[in-house]
Amino acid sequence: MIELRTPAEIEQMRPAGRFVASVLEATAAAAGVGVNLLALDRLARDLIRSAGAESCYIDYHPSFGASPFGKVICTSVNDAVLHGLPHDYALRDGDVLSLDFAASVDGWVSDSAITIVVGTPRDEDLRLIDTTTHALDAGVAAAQPGARIGDISAAIAGVALADGYTINTDFGGHGVGRTMHGDPHVPNNGRPGRGLPLRPGLVIAIEPWFLETTDRVVTDPDGWTLRSADGSRGAHMEHTVAITESGPIVLTARMP
């Protein structure tokens, strides 16, 4: 069911957006060569506890997950791009790390993701991250009242295809509100002018993710982590966005 939020409710969602952004900033800053993924999960867990927030991940068990997630942040490294289950792995120089985090504050949820390079970057990784960032920006810019879901999807795809990347539509954006995942689905490829009209009060997560040389993913034995089918690296960016009369508001905007 698609729910529209009042202007007052969108204001009530802002603290969750600020908190999610702050946790991503903190964990990205802490992610250095030699830092263990489990340490990043502990940091996020401590920040949740200190803020009196609630994790959206730890008990999360959708149909595609092998078991409850059990951690509070997704840490996807190199060829892993989505749903990376934190495990005993120390980050290495040149690793590409995607961090995906959602939490509830006072009953309202926000969801966001960022991809960084740990240590020395490779040009091809920076190019992939740059394209994914620009695709997110394009998707947000297209999220105007009176437009349609397909306008967001087409804007994202236009950036990716122009840079030579292919697109997987199995996983994409989604509605956000009292729960982490709701209607509507926001695919990363589509036709402009098609799909659900974007009405003021709609709150969605827009989340482009691309792989360097494929659009196929496989699931790790952990039952969660999604990796590229050919071992190429991935990038993932996401913001929670509210559609308003005056345009989109990025609730999870990070400090510049």
Side-chain angles (χ1 to χ4, degrees), residues 91-116:
L91 291 165
R92 301 170 183 172
D93 187 50
D95 277 349
V96 173
L97 172 65
S98 295
L99 298 164
D100 188 0
F101 180 72
S104 174
V105 176
D106 296 327
W108 294 106
V109 171
S110 272
D111 189 3
S112 188
I114 188 172
T115 299
I116 62 171

Side-chain angles (χ1 to χ4, degrees), residues 32-35 78 89-96 117-122 125 233:
V33 175
V35 174
N78 294 334
Y89 175 83
L91 291 165
R92 301 170 183 172
D93 187 50
D95 277 349
V96 173
V117 177
V118 177
T120 309
R122 305 188 311 170
D125 295 333
R233 293 181 168 194

Side-chain angles (χ1 to χ4, degrees), residues 3 55 58 75 86-87 91 124 139 142 145 184 187 191 202 217 246 252 256:
E3 297 183 86
S55 169
I58 196 160
T75 55
H87 59 284
L91 291 165
E124 54 266 46
R191 296 175 63 183
L202 182 67
V217 293
S246 57
T252 50

Side-chain angles (χ1 to χ4, degrees), residues 27-223:
T27 50
V33 175
V35 174
N36 198 291
L37 298 181
L38 294 175
L40 296 178
D41 184 72
R42 286 194 297 270
L43 172 59
R45 194 180 301 246
D46 289 344
L47 293 170
I48 289 170
R49 186 180 302 111
S50 296
E54 294 183 10
S55 169
C56 292
Y57 288 169
I58 196 160
D59 295 323
Y60 187 52
H61 190 189
S63 59
F64 58 81
S67 60
F69 191 71
K71 299 291 190 292
V72 301
I73 192 168
C74 294
T75 55
S76 303
V77 180
N78 294 334
D79 60 327
V81 66
L82 294 177
H83 310 159
L85 186 64
H87 59 284
D88 185 12
Y89 175 83
L91 291 165
R92 301 170 183 172
D93 187 50
D95 277 349
V96 173
L97 172 65
S98 295
L99 298 164
D100 188 0
F101 180 72
S104 174
V105 176
D106 296 327
W108 294 106
V109 171
S110 272
D111 189 3
S112 188
I114 188 172
T115 299
I116 62 171
V117 177
V118 177
T120 309
R122 305 188 311 170
D123 288 344
E124 54 266 46
D125 295 333
L126 294 178
R127 180 175 181 271
L128 177 61
I129 292 170
D130 188 59
T131 296
T132 312
T133 301
H134 288 160
L136 175 58
D137 292 342
V140 171
Q144 300 291 336
R148 292 179 177 268
I149 289 289
D151 295 312
I152 297 174
S153 303
I156 291 170
V159 174
L161 296 174
D163 284 354
Y165 300 108
T166 56
I167 300 162
N168 178 299
T169 56
D170 292 340
F171 296 91
H174 50 86
V176 182
R178 293 292 188 180
T179 60
M180 178 171 58
H181 286 149
D183 294 327
H185 176 60
V186 186
N188 289 325
N189 196 0
R191 296 175 63 183
R194 298 295 185 92
L196 180 79
L198 302 179
R199 297 171 57 191
L202 182 67
V203 181
I204 53 176
I206 299 174
E207 55 175 315
W209 61 277
F210 309 127
L211 299 164
E212 190 174 5
T213 57
T214 185
D215 57 15
R216 293 182 55 244
V217 293
V218 294
T219 305
D220 258 10
D222 65 19

